[in-house]
Amino acid sequence: MGSAAVEPGDSSGVLAPMVLAIGRPSFSQVLMDTVRAVAGVGHCMVFAFEAERTARCALGIGHIAIGPDLGAAYSEHFHLADPNRETILHQRAAPRPVVLPSFSRRMYSDGYRKIFFEDAEIVDKIAAAIWVDSACFYVNFYRTTEQGRFTRSEAARLCNMAPAITAIVARHCQEDVAAEAPTKLQTLFSTREPFLKLTGREKDVCLRILSGYGSEAIAADLGISLHSTFTYRKRAYEKLGISSQNELFAIALRLMALPRSAH
């Protein structure tokens, strides 16, 4: 059963299920249901840029059968040919999400256009990006040939809500990192720079920060005082050259995205 179109005043209510789904396996489907209701989006893909020349597909869902192949191709090479890339990199210091320029086929080279639009039967897209410290999340909303291009009202609704949706997606992608803490992150902390600089207790505190623990919960879990928790966190952040939890997430995202040989 299709979702009813979202009216102009419904934005806060329609985004609530996405906020509640952050960090959960259902998030991708909730995102898709939301943007389908907002503007009839046919497919959604999210790419994460954690370093100047690397990208990874953080999320993909929708009607495009070759979506996973497109995500892999973009992440491996074609992100360097994306005309939005320069705009995204120039917005690194922007304090809030940025809606990218309107889609035009002329923006893309012949080869890029054939692979990512003609072969995939994509006829329109709206995109936005947000920087969270050194990591960028690039969210793309597509319409397929069968659907036709976004109408003027659909495009206006989606552009209006894209910044909030993009911020929620970024938070979910960060939560995804936290969910992998028992495996990948523990390996990173024990084998990779810059985490090798940390003492055992400093690593313990940082891992729990990435797992969503508050300071009091960390102290209770480790059996240490709240003051000691703050001290270990401060020392760890100083060694890592950061000053916030978001920057800690960004380091973890970047290292998880890099091939092992690149660490």
Side-chain angles (χ1 to χ4, degrees):
M1 181 178 297
S3 302
V6 174
E7 296 302 323
D10 292 346
S11 60
S12 59
V14 79
L15 294 181
M18 283 183 59
V19 174
L20 294 174
I22 288 173
R24 297 183 177 181
S26 62
F27 182 85
S28 294
Q29 188 59 58
V30 174
L31 167 64
M32 194 65 221
D33 291 344
T34 300
V35 295
R36 186 182 294 123
V38 169
V41 172
H43 198 94
C44 181
M45 296 188 78
V46 180
F47 296 98
F49 301 125
E50 285 104 6
E52 187 85 2
R53 302 185 67 80
T54 65
R56 68 180 176 88
C57 185
L59 185 156
I61 186 170
H63 304 317
I64 300 173
I66 63 171
D69 296 330
L70 294 179
Y74 184 92
S75 299
E76 290 171 6
H77 173 72
F78 284 94
H79 64 95
L80 297 173
D82 186 343
N84 281 332
R85 181 173 180 273
E86 288 304 313
T87 302
I88 291 171
L89 292 176
H90 288 156
Q91 295 294 331
R92 190 185 298 268
R96 51 178 60 103
V98 176
V99 177
L100 279 304
S102 299
F103 169 76
S104 170
R105 294 171 64 86
R106 296 189 302 273
M107 294 168 58
Y108 300 89
S109 66
D110 291 343
Y112 191 107
R113 187 167 59 243
K114 182 178 188 307
I115 293 172
F116 289 95
F117 296 102
E118 295 171 8
D119 292 353
E121 298 187 339
I122 293 172
V123 295
D124 205 356
K125 88 166 188 175
I126 290 173
I130 182 171
W131 283 92
V132 183
D133 298 313
S134 62
C136 180
F137 299 94
Y138 175 35
V139 185
N140 296 266
F141 309 102
Y142 303 104
R143 286 281 286 244
T144 63
T145 302
E146 182 179 357
Q147 295 177 296
R149 299 197 66 172
F150 291 108
T151 66
R152 183 173 297 180
S153 61
E154 287 171 336
R157 282 197 301 271
L158 187 53
C159 287
N160 182 57
M161 296 178 65
I165 292 172
T166 301
I168 295 170
V169 168
R171 176 56 66 190
H172 169 74
C173 290
Q174 289 183 315
E175 292 290 336
D176 265 0
V177 173
E180 298 188 30
T183 52
K184 288 187 177 181
L185 283 180
Q186 286 184 346
T187 300
L188 289 178
F189 270 71
S190 63
T191 61
R192 297 286 180 257
E193 292 288 358
F195 297 127
L196 289 176
K197 302 174 184 177
L198 306 183
T199 66
R201 268 292 186 244
E202 290 165 356
K203 291 177 183 178
D204 290 339
V205 168
C206 286
L207 279 169
R208 282 158 178 78
I209 290 171
L210 289 171
S211 296
Y213 285 60
S215 297
E216 292 183 356
I218 293 173
D221 193 50
L222 294 177
I224 60 178
S225 69
L226 188 59
H227 176 75
S228 295
T229 300
F230 291 144
T231 299
Y232 289 128
R233 183 183 66 187
K234 182 175 182 292
R235 290 175 181 172
Y237 283 7
E238 287 175 349
K239 290 178 181 179
L240 296 173
I242 61 176
S243 59
S244 71
Q245 174 180 307
N246 281 342
E247 290 177 286
L248 182 61
F249 270 111
I251 292 175
L253 282 167
R254 176 176 57 80
L255 290 177
M256 290 174 69
L258 291 174
R260 184 179 180 86
S261 60
H263 287 293

